[in-house]
Amino acid sequence: MIRTVTTPYSTTTAPARFLLLGDSHAGPVGRAARAAGIPFSGGPIGAARDFNAGFFDLRGDDPVFRDVETDQLYRGFLAELGAAGLGELSVPLVLTFGLSAHFFATTENWQLYRVRTGAFVPGFVSGRLFDDIVRAMARDAIAFYRHARGLGLRVLAPLPPQRVPSMSDPEIFMAAQETMRRALDALDVEIIDLRARVTDAAGLQRPELCEADDPIHGNLAFGRLILADLLDRGL
Amino acid sequence: MDSPAGLDTPGPWFCRAAEVTAPVRLFYFPCAGGNAAAIAGWQAHLGTAVELHVAALPGRGARLFDEPPRDLDDLVAHLTGAVADLADRRFAFFGHSLGALVAFEVARGLRRQGSAMPECLWVAGAEGPRTRAVRHRLHDLPEAEFIQALRDYRGTPAEILADREMMELLSPGIRADFGLSELYAYKSEPPLNLPIHALRGDRDPYVEASRVAGWAHESTRPLRVSVFAGDHFFIQPHQTDIAALVVAEFAADRVNPYGSLPSRSFWRTAVAGPAMEEIGDLWQPKFAVGQDDPIITVGSCFARHIGRALLEAGMNFCDAEPPPPGLTAAEREARHYGEFSFRTGNIYTAAMLRQWLSWAFGEAAPAADEAGRPGAGTSAPAGVWAEDGRYFDPYRPAVEPEGHPSAEAVRAARAETLAAIRGAIARAACLVFTLGLTEAWHDADDGTVYPVCPGTVRGTFDERRHVFRNATFADVYRDLSAAVALARAASPDLRVVLTVSPVPLTATATGGHALVATTYSKSVLRAVAGQLAAELAYVDYFPSYELITGSPFRARFFEPNLRTVTGEGVAFVMRHFLDAFGPRAGGPARAAAAVRTDVTGDGGDPYCDDAVLDYYRAR
């Protein structure tokens, strides 16, 4: 978990348009909003590994993050918005939990399902077993979305930058992302899917939308595109 | 710019080996640790045709006891100024190894400050600035290893390397030079509009031919490469031949300047030869804008496509007046949100742009409203049109289709836009203004100018009060100059890209033929844009007009009404704009080179942790 944090960001001169919570992929969105002067509250509250399974409990209707500092950040953001708990939130919720497909796609995790040629069993990544495995890996992320929707919140989820680091399997990355997209779509979460606009002919993130010196993240320009999409959706 | 101690030494930054006076100058930039003495013999080979000026850097030669340069930007700034002072005649640059990098950066520095440019850049024993490899890091090696590395380089006499006292004097300067080279970080800018001639030794262990070819990215002209027998210091045994090449290059230019022009300068190779889609290289921007530098767009209807295209390309379109939450897409479009950087609606004329900026920065007298009341503030006009109980802004009647509930609401909305203009100009790096028309309707009472004729979109036409004017070159030049000056007063580093809308006039109020009136309007706007671009280093012209209306394109990019530009046409223009000005300008290597694809075996989470920390650190 993150140990060095400062005062959470908030533009207080105008009402916040949304609450942003997530892993590091939330960073470019928050930075873009900050640079554009779009009022919001929130930001990344941990790394990708922190928000898949076993990361929160419910106290009544309100999620409580198991990591103390994460929970403090979350409470601080809610307080900026005048909400005592998630159920009192009056602005849309933008989440990136469970959408770091590179984390699910770590090549080593899937060796078990490969045959002698190195390929997967035919139909594996499009099959029920794969879907179940990914959903199990992200079970509490999905539960968080389900809970937020159950509270009546408008929830939006940007798909991650289409970057597959060398330790991850591209086929698994794409398939796991698709599994998560379907899972969230079934919960009526609005998916911010910019893939057609941000990728090259190979389906991977265009270089000018990648964070430099970093194999995973989108850059500020990618954040601006997500932000523009959020505003286009009326946020 | 801060200077390291010693760089401000009042001594000359260039010295001359002999008192030769010639019509042209060659500025020589030595290799790491090099000084004027190393090429003292060159002047004899150059004869009286070329004056040789050798960069006299601190920490070596006559400036041995000056603090050596530690920051390339500082060094380049000093050398750029020194060259500009000596640029009263034709000149070229010659750089060897590190000197090639320095010469290249000084050339870019001259371009940035709008100074005279060298006619040619000679680079010897040097890989391209963005393709170069740093194979060994020498500058911070322990002394014994450093001296051994110099011995391997074979550029320093063995007896000097063996002289401990001598090396104590020389070593800091040589180390500093290697540091400049080894820590060099390429910054993307448009290619230079000058020929680059690369020279290399065929047995140079420090220079790969494929990386030398990378110099091609830095020039709009074809790269010329000459190979000589020898190692990294091949220029010494070949100085006669190299001097002859330099003299010949200067002479060639003098005999026939067309001979060194790029293929884009000739109609046959630039226009008649290539397929329509392949016609390119129409624009060599004067300046570069960083990917995250805010860009403002304003102008006529054609310009409304630019902002979104910039955003999609990864640039930073500055939307200083975003829509309020809750509007549907149709509502946002109807109310003209997101078309330009602020909600002025279309700004067709230079006079309108000047008017909005004047109001925003409080430099114009306020207009009176229809009841004759003066404007409420010192900068915002008070005139409001009332219609069926709703109120409209005469200076942007279309942006609120249903009107405002009160005159005060109109003024409040306008004040919001003026604040957005002030905020956007203050933080923008670049303003892109698309000129649309010369024809405009003016208010005879208060001198203001309307975007459209009163009585068309809204308002009531008053024959006495509403006066038609078709601006002349002088009018547009005056208004556009004043608008640029207003913006630059608020943001002194602002760059301006002017362009002319290819969309013809819907109608002309001159009584003449629409085609003739269109040609008049566009030619005046094009001429003024060109004039300002020629006069001002911070103003450039982008040829969107030529890309759509030029005869090579055979009106292909117009709808059947021969007026509306098709989506394909817009995309064609934006492709040219972004190829030259976007994040990939200068070739795909710039963006791709910065992207790492490796990752540690721990799931990449250190990158995620860093990214999260960076988010909070960046405030």
Side-chain angles (χ1 to χ4, degrees), chain B residues 111-366:
Chain B
R111 179 176 59 182
R112 283 193 296 273
Q113 67 182 34
S115 297
M117 293 293 289
E119 291 184 359
C120 181
L121 173 60
W122 299 83
V123 290
E127 297 171 339
R130 74 176 83 173
T131 53
R132 63 195 294 269
V134 176
R135 295 170 180 80
H136 307 289
R137 188 174 162 120
L138 271 58
H139 77 278
D140 50 4
L141 285 175
E143 188 66 9
E145 292 175 44
F146 180 63
I147 289 174
Q148 182 56 46
L150 293 181
R151 194 170 285 122
D152 296 341
Y153 246 90
R154 302 170 66 181
T156 312
E159 55 272 26
I160 291 180
L161 292 172
D163 186 331
R164 189 171 172 176
E165 285 186 17
M166 184 68 86
M167 283 310 295
E168 281 178 5
L169 282 174
L170 297 179
S171 182
I174 305 174
R175 279 180 185 276
D177 283 2
F178 275 107
L180 295 180
S181 173
E182 289 160 11
L183 301 177
Y184 172 80
Y186 178 81
K187 294 172 191 159
S188 187
E189 286 187 21
L192 294 165
N193 184 20
L194 50 78
I196 296 180
H197 197 144
L199 317 176
R200 69 175 179 86
D202 63 353
R203 297 188 304 279
D204 186 340
Y206 304 103
V207 171
E208 285 178 29
S210 61
R211 294 180 188 273
V212 171
W215 282 104
H217 296 305
E218 311 308 334
S219 171
T220 57
R221 319 274 184 98
L223 175 69
R224 286 176 288 173
V225 180
S226 299
V227 184
F228 294 82
D231 60 12
H232 195 59
F233 298 93
F234 69 91
I235 63 173
Q236 284 307 330
H238 294 287
Q239 52 185 281
T240 307
D241 294 338
I242 293 171
L245 277 177
V246 171
V247 171
E249 175 76 22
F250 276 124
D253 274 349
R254 195 166 58 239
V255 170
N256 178 2
Y258 289 91
S260 60
L261 290 176
S263 58
R264 67 163 182 270
S265 298
F266 298 89
W267 186 267
R268 183 179 59 79
T269 49
V271 181
M276 192 185 298
E277 297 77 12
E278 301 301 319
I279 293 174
D281 203 16
L282 273 80
W283 186 38
Q284 299 78 47
K286 282 183 179 178
F287 41 78
V289 172
Q291 187 176 6
D292 295 326
D293 291 340
I295 299 174
I296 296 172
T297 69
V298 287
S300 69
C301 54
F302 183 75
R304 71 182 188 277
H305 306 291
I306 297 175
R308 190 52 82 140
L310 290 172
L311 189 69
E312 295 292 333
M315 304 286 279
N316 187 4
F317 165 58
C318 172
D319 185 355
E321 202 172 359
L327 294 186
T328 64
E331 288 168 338
R332 287 194 302 274
E333 185 178 356
R335 295 167 70 181
H336 296 255
Y337 279 105
E339 288 182 350
F340 302 106
S341 289
F342 13 79
R343 204 162 150 247
T344 52
N346 295 338
I347 296 180
Y348 295 104
T349 61
M352 276 295 294
L353 178 65
R354 179 183 185 180
Q355 182 168 272
W356 276 110
L357 293 177
S358 298
W359 291 338
F361 296 107
E363 295 203 17

Side-chain angles (χ1 to χ4, degrees), chain B residues 533-551:
Chain B
E535 289 176 3
L536 304 171
Y538 48 85
V539 175
D540 202 355
Y541 172 73
F542 170 70
S544 58
Y545 180 76
E546 287 85 339
L547 281 165
I548 297 296
T549 66
S551 60

Side-chain angles (χ1 to χ4, degrees), chain A residues 4 7 9 17 24 27 34 42 44 46-47 49 163 166-167 197 206-208 212-213 215 217 221 224-225 232 234, chain B residues 291-292 308 312 314-316 323 326 332 584 594-599 603 605 607-609 612-613 615-616 619:
Chain A
T4 309
T7 310
Y9 178 80
R17 294 180 181 225
S24 51
R34 189 191 302 160
R49 63 173 178 271
R163 304 189 66 188
S166 57
M167 58 81 182
R197 290 159 55 193
R206 286 187 279 130
E208 61 269 30
D213 262 343
H217 296 101
R224 285 194 289 266
L225 285 174
D232 285 349
Chain B
Q291 187 176 6
D292 295 326
R308 190 52 82 140
E312 295 292 333
M315 304 286 279
N316 187 4
R332 287 194 302 274
R584 294 201 194 194
V595 177
R596 284 181 58 169
T597 54
D598 61 315
V599 69
D605 268 346
Y607 289 101
C608 299
D609 292 338
V612 178
L613 287 172
Y615 179 86
Y616 295 100
R619 298 221 177 111

Side-chain angles (χ1 to χ4, degrees), chain B residues 572-584:
Chain B
F572 184 69
V573 168
M574 290 313 300
R575 175 168 68 77
H576 281 268
F577 185 85
L578 293 165
D579 281 351
F581 207 57
R584 294 201 194 194

Side-chain angles (χ1 to χ4, degrees), chain A residues 2-193:
Chain A
I2 301 307
R3 299 296 168 205
T4 309
V5 291
T6 54
T7 310
Y9 178 80
S10 173
T11 300
T12 54
T13 51
R17 294 180 181 225
F18 57 89
L19 171 62
L20 173 67
L21 295 176
D23 57 18
S24 51
H25 288 319
V29 183
R31 286 193 285 131
R34 189 191 302 160
I38 298 296
F40 74 103
S41 189
I45 56 175
R49 63 173 178 271
D50 301 330
F51 302 114
N52 295 307
F55 66 92
F56 79 100
D57 302 298
L58 286 178
R59 185 188 298 145
D61 269 349
D62 197 33
V64 177
F65 289 90
R66 291 181 184 173
D67 180 85
V68 174
E69 286 194 19
T70 299
D71 201 59
Q72 284 173 347
L73 273 174
Y74 163 68
R75 305 269 155 220
F77 294 141
L78 285 179
E80 287 173 0
L81 299 170
L86 201 61
E88 293 183 16
L89 199 61
S90 58
V91 293
L93 179 59
V94 179
L95 294 177
T96 68
F97 295 156
L99 285 167
S100 284
H102 76 273
F103 184 78
F104 301 137
T106 303
T107 305
E108 203 58 35
N109 293 347
W110 302 91
Q111 290 297 83
L112 179 66
Y113 305 98
R114 293 181 188 276
V115 295
R116 190 172 300 168
T117 60
F120 289 111
V121 175
F124 172 68
V125 295
S126 56
R128 177 68 184 269
L129 174 61
F130 178 84
D131 213 56
D132 286 348
I133 294 170
V134 172
R135 286 170 188 257
M137 291 170 86
R139 58 189 177 278
D140 286 348
I142 295 170
F144 194 98
Y145 286 94
R146 183 182 298 113
H147 180 71
R149 290 290 300 131
L151 292 172
L153 297 178
R154 183 180 179 189
V155 182
L156 303 100
L159 291 186
Q162 302 300 292
R163 304 189 66 188
V164 186
S166 57
M167 58 81 182
S168 300
D169 183 294
E171 188 180 6
I172 298 291
F173 178 100
M174 299 300 175
Q177 173 178 251
E178 190 55 22
T179 291
M180 287 303 296
R181 191 196 64 74
R182 283 196 305 270
L184 301 188
D185 191 52
L187 297 172
D188 285 332
V189 171
E190 296 176 49
I191 309 293
I192 311 296
D193 183 357

